[in-house]
Amino acid sequence: MTLRLFDHALLDRSLYPRLARGLPIGVMGRAFYPFCSVDSTQNIARELASAGAPEGTVVVADHQTLGRGRAGRSWLAEPGANLLVSVLLRPRIPVARVPQLSLLLAVASREAIEGQTGLPVRVRWPNDLLLAGRKVAGILTEAASGAQGILHVVAGIGINVNQTEFHEEIRERATSLALATGSPREREPLLEALLARLNHWYAVYREVGFGPARSAWCRNSATLGEWVASGREIAGTAVDLDEDGALVVRTASGVLKRVVAGEIL
Ligand code: BTN
């Protein structure tokens, strides 16, 4: 496939040399696009998806000029410090099941970070990763659907690897692997580990469904057992994650309510 979506001179294969040569990771990373700078890896991956790129296509950038997070927020990262990755998936699932993929990504990312650092990483619903209570990574899934259902999902993962200074708004709540371990970390082994864990969990998902990832998420959750609030309607203790990836909350009056998407406090 010849893609003319962007200037190929902007690709920098020296950024992740082993991955650029092609590793036997499986589906994830079989097409690999490392960039110095893009607006958002999500945008590049989405364009590649529309041009017919295969499932498992990975876009990674050293710098994003318009990196985005959930709920319309910006995702700011110091150039060259962190992992900014988007992965193209083509799951055959109904739109309502897309939140499962965010949680699956969180499980895979958690295992990759824990495997690389030895530090315990917890998942916070819907899809933040925490180190000692501070956010070290976030996940953003964006789906395109048509009459036949899901066309593709672009799953974006931002991991704070070597950034040590954060914007004042998030300074008290954010951390990085370098801050948590006391030394800078190489990004390529972490990206390899991330793609390997994602490969594993996506294969499990396709074979037997969401159950195993759901159990792994629940075992490592920072949310279950906590008091949470969502909007004005729902407040209570988070007691479970359901089959669709919704958070189940028991209100003070004992009623169980589902939080399907969005933020909790
Ligand atoms: C969040 O916690 O709000 C989600 C953050 C997702 C950030 C990643 S970085 C790579 C990809 N490209 C983007 O523009 N966003 C995602």
Side-chain angles (χ1 to χ4, degrees):
M1 178 176 51
T2 309
L3 290 165
R4 301 203 174 279
L5 301 166
F6 44 75
D7 183 352
H8 279 237
L10 296 175
L11 287 170
D12 186 345
R13 297 193 181 278
S14 68
L15 285 172
Y16 293 91
R18 285 201 305 266
L19 280 163
R21 278 200 301 276
L23 273 184
I25 281 173
V27 171
M28 301 301 154
R30 64 184 171 186
F32 183 67
Y33 295 90
F35 287 92
C36 275
S37 179
V38 295
D39 54 359
S40 161
T41 55
Q42 294 291 98
N43 294 347
I44 304 279
R46 193 169 59 195
E47 286 178 39
L48 286 164
S50 305
E55 177 158 76
T57 293
V58 170
V59 179
V60 56
D62 241 16
H63 177 50
Q64 297 185 124
T65 53
L66 282 174
R68 59 179 177 268
R70 285 197 309 273
R73 287 190 286 263
S74 303
W75 184 260
L76 302 172
E78 206 175 274
N82 295 343
L83 263 187
L84 308 167
V85 191
S86 294
V87 181
L88 171 61
L89 305 174
R90 295 188 180 279
R92 291 168 189 233
I93 55 170
V95 178
R97 293 257 156 110
V98 171
Q100 292 181 337
L101 294 173
S102 300
L103 298 155
L104 186 110
L105 259 288
V107 166
S109 308
R110 196 200 75 75
E111 290 183 355
I113 296 173
E114 207 168 273
Q116 291 292 303
T117 63
L119 297 173
V121 184
R122 315 263 280 160
V123 289
R124 178 171 63 196
W125 193 90
N127 37 28
D128 291 338
L129 300 189
L130 306 180
L131 264 176
R134 289 176 176 236
K135 181 161 170 171
V136 71
I139 290 157
L140 171 73
T141 43
E142 296 177 319
S145 56
Q148 310 293 324
I150 295 286
L151 297 172
H152 66 254
V153 173
V154 173
I157 308 147
I159 304 179
N160 300 335
V161 182
N162 290 320
Q163 185 159 336
T164 51
E165 296 285 332
F166 292 93
H167 191 272
E168 59 182 2
E169 271 178 30
I170 58 167
R171 194 167 292 150
E172 301 300 314
R173 291 175 281 129
T175 191
S176 67
L177 303 189
L179 284 172
T181 61
S183 54
R185 317 290 307 183
E186 267 191 68
R187 290 176 299 166
E188 186 160 32
L190 179 62
L191 181 53
E192 286 168 7
L194 172 65
L195 297 180
R197 293 321 294 153
L198 187 53
N199 208 51
H200 165 79
W201 280 109
Y202 196 58
V204 170
Y205 183 72
R206 293 216 301 202
E207 275 166 35
V208 300
F210 182 53
R214 174 177 171 233
S215 304
W217 192 95
C218 291
R219 274 198 306 277
N220 296 286
S221 170
T223 303
L224 297 184
E226 295 294 312
W227 181 266
V228 298
S230 170
R232 288 192 185 161
E233 300 87 50
I234 304 178
T237 306
V239 290
D240 202 4
L241 185 73
D242 78 6
E243 235 325 284
D244 287 334
L247 191 65
V248 182
V249 174
R250 182 180 291 117
T251 67
S253 56
V255 177
L256 293 181
K257 296 200 169 179
R258 297 171 75 237
V259 185
V260 176
E263 307 286 303
I264 50 170
L265 296 173

